[in-house]
Amino acid sequence: MWLRVMVPLVAVLVSGCANYRAVSAFGGDTTSMTTVVKSEFDQIETLCVRQAELAIVVSNIGNDGPIDQCARNRRAQGLFAAVTVEVLDGYAQGLSALADDQPFDLSPDVKSVGGKVRALKDNAGNALVSTREADALSSVATILVDVLASAKRDEAVRQMVAATPDLTIVGQSLRAFFVQAPGAPANAPKAPYSNLVAVISSSASSTQPILESTPMRKAEPIRTAELLRELRTRQKLLARRAPDAPNSVPASVVAAIDAWLVALQKFSTDALKPDSRELIDRLKTLRTEIQKARDAVADK
């Protein structure tokens, strides 16, 4: 497989000058893709916190335990995905800077990404990130640092193109946050995103009977009705994020990531060509999938 990837890369690396229009377009589309992913991260965190606040009120909990649990869930299961987005953002910013012949300011977080991801542990103390994934992230970050120091635009683009195998691993890792890998066995662990949605949905199901109880309705009928309405709206949003829901939000986000991975492969072979109809077509497809994902995430 790697030979099939590297052969076209070698052909690209010995070819002519960069197509900076293509470089700019792919950089911008990469930013658009990661922006959608970050928006869904924010949506999930908001759903978790709002449900936690409701649980505190209806169950008369005397502390912020449920809200703290939202933060723990994100740290435990979402931090690696957030780090992959940071790296992809850095890559996109590097491409855009090269296309515009502008200085490139790399985030300190990206520079130290290797140590950060290797330190990630789950609640049992096990590593959350495989060596392969950590190495890929570190490799891309190293290339970005090298590009930052490079004074030769075409050579810098060649370095960015050469990162394609590692970028593919990074993109696949981000994909795996939202859905199980294709062909995963039935007993394989669920995707972290599915676990987060399931935890929030379980809390919502637990608070609903309390709100619908006669004592609650009699004690504060107006406030109870308001909270029930908010809860049902939240449950609809959560239902659209279930892995088996028709046209689910995670499926839309993953479709955008998949389209980015396809565009990445064509970019790796055509970034240094004067013109590429195939690359243009794949970028159009990518933009279409990004817009669908954007609409799915924003749909309230």
Side-chain angles (χ1 to χ4, degrees), residues 90-174:
Y91 182 79
Q93 291 163 13
L95 289 178
S96 297
L98 288 170
D100 297 335
D101 198 16
Q102 295 294 321
F104 174 39
D105 186 16
L106 187 64
S107 165
D109 290 337
V110 174
K111 293 180 182 179
S112 61
V113 69
K116 183 187 297 184
V117 297
R118 287 186 176 88
L120 294 177
K121 307 288 183 182
D122 63 16
N123 292 331
N126 301 312
L128 278 173
V129 182
S130 71
T131 300
R132 177 172 177 264
E133 292 169 326
D135 287 349
L137 284 164
S138 297
S139 178
V140 175
T142 298
I143 287 175
L144 292 176
V145 172
D146 291 342
V147 167
L148 179 62
S150 175
K152 299 179 180 179
R153 293 173 73 202
D154 282 350
E155 178 58 31
V157 172
R158 291 186 180 92
Q159 287 183 275
M160 299 286 268
V161 169
T164 295
D166 290 312
L167 286 165
T168 299
I169 295 173
V170 172
Q172 291 170 342
S173 299
L174 183 60

Side-chain angles (χ1 to χ4, degrees), residues 217-285:
R217 290 178 179 274
K218 285 185 175 180
E220 294 191 59
I222 296 176
R223 182 57 179 153
T224 298
E226 291 174 345
L227 293 176
L228 266 174
R229 185 165 58 251
E230 292 174 9
L231 174 64
R232 287 166 182 158
T233 298
R234 191 175 306 118
Q235 287 174 318
K236 289 179 181 178
L237 294 174
L238 290 167
R240 293 184 54 250
R241 286 162 169 80
D244 55 351
N247 302 314
S248 70
V249 173
S252 296
V253 173
V254 165
I257 296 172
D258 285 344
W260 180 83
L261 286 166
V262 170
L264 171 66
Q265 298 308 315
K266 181 51 61 177
F267 179 73
S268 73
T269 60
D270 291 14
L272 302 182
K273 292 181 179 179
D275 189 24
S276 171
R277 185 73 253 171
E278 285 187 69
L279 178 57
I280 291 172
D281 289 342
R282 293 191 187 186
L283 290 178
K284 285 181 179 177
T285 299

